[in-house]
Amino acid sequence: QGYMTPNGLKSTPKDHQVAGISWLQECWSLGYPGALLADDMGLGKTFQTLSFLSWLNEVRERLKLPKRPTLIVAPMSLLGTWQAEAGLHLEGETLGEFALLYGPHLKSMKTTRQNDMMAGRATLHLEALSDAKWILTTYETMRDYHISLAHMHFGCAVFDEMQKLKNETSLMTNASRALNIDFKIG
């Protein structure tokens, strides 16, 4: 189908980034459950992913698909990078509001002192998360609150530094599998 430029980009993708964005668009358009973006460091995987997410939001709206948030799961040290890159490469609120579901931000989202694993049930204010266009969280938060997150339906989930899910029997890997996600990017 070829590359379709998303609206709201401040930056112009380089040729190799156009190829990556186009490939993600094609994978989604063909109904694949997800894709792995494995460029070398420094080649703009975050920018390619943000560009794709911008395009995906446009397409979902144009096709009148249900509004579903995007979940970005990354080590805490990279979550600020996702926000900074979005501000650098995207116009205004192209992707909408961020819901921060980690660190000190997590406290206001909880209904109890316990996490899902300790309580054996959902313990997050899901209503507060339902209006967000995208949710930033850590692998550990995803693991500890997977029952709450499994109540939501995500249009896309991005797993940055996906090697954290390489152990087939880990709680983290199983928590990621419990989530209801239309399209996954590693």
Side-chain angles (χ1 to χ4, degrees):
Q1 77 185 14
Y3 172 67
M4 292 175 274
T5 306
N7 292 324
L9 286 187
K10 288 185 200 175
S11 306
T12 303
K14 297 178 173 114
D15 290 343
H16 73 277
Q17 294 169 330
V18 167
I21 299 163
S22 178
W23 183 70
L24 290 170
Q25 291 170 340
E26 184 176 356
C27 288
W28 184 86
S29 297
L30 292 173
Y32 291 178
L36 181 63
L37 195 55
D39 287 351
D40 288 336
M41 281 182 64
L43 293 180
K45 291 183 295 293
T46 303
F47 171 56
Q48 291 174 62
T49 303
L50 288 168
S51 298
F52 167 76
L53 293 173
S54 179
W55 172 85
L56 181 60
N57 282 341
E58 290 173 34
V59 170
R60 289 184 65 88
E61 192 172 309
R62 188 173 62 243
L63 295 175
K64 298 188 182 343
L65 296 174
K67 291 184 193 265
R68 295 189 174 136
T70 294
L71 179 68
I72 295 178
V73 184
M76 191 175 306
S77 62
L78 296 179
L79 292 174
T81 301
W82 278 93
Q83 290 179 277
E85 291 282 314
L88 181 66
H89 298 298
L90 301 175
E91 296 284 346
E93 303 275 333
T94 297
L95 292 179
E97 289 295 316
F98 290 94
L100 305 179
L101 190 59
Y102 64 93
H105 312 284
L106 185 59
K107 191 174 189 176
S108 66
M109 297 288 191
K110 296 168 62 171
T111 62
T112 179
R113 297 177 112 175
Q114 295 180 319
N115 64 33
D116 290 7
M117 289 178 47
M118 291 169 41
R121 62 176 174 78
T123 61
L124 294 179
H125 290 289
L126 297 177
E127 310 78 38
L129 293 172
S130 64
D131 290 335
K133 277 220 178 172
W134 60 344
I135 299 167
L136 295 175
T137 195
T138 65
Y139 282 95
E140 293 75 18
T141 302
M142 176 198 65
R143 176 198 62 210
D144 295 348
Y145 294 92
H146 70 278
I147 297 171
S148 295
L149 293 173
H151 280 82
M152 299 183 70
H153 194 148
F154 298 99
C156 187
V158 177
F159 296 96
D160 195 353
E161 300 293 333
M162 194 174 184
Q163 69 270 16
K164 290 193 91 125
L165 301 177
K166 68 182 176 185
N167 183 341
E168 291 288 320
T169 60
S170 75
L171 291 174
M172 215 171 283
T173 300
N174 286 318
S176 72
R177 290 182 178 147
L179 302 180
N180 191 3
I181 305 165
D182 293 340
F183 189 78
K184 300 171 191 129
I185 300 173

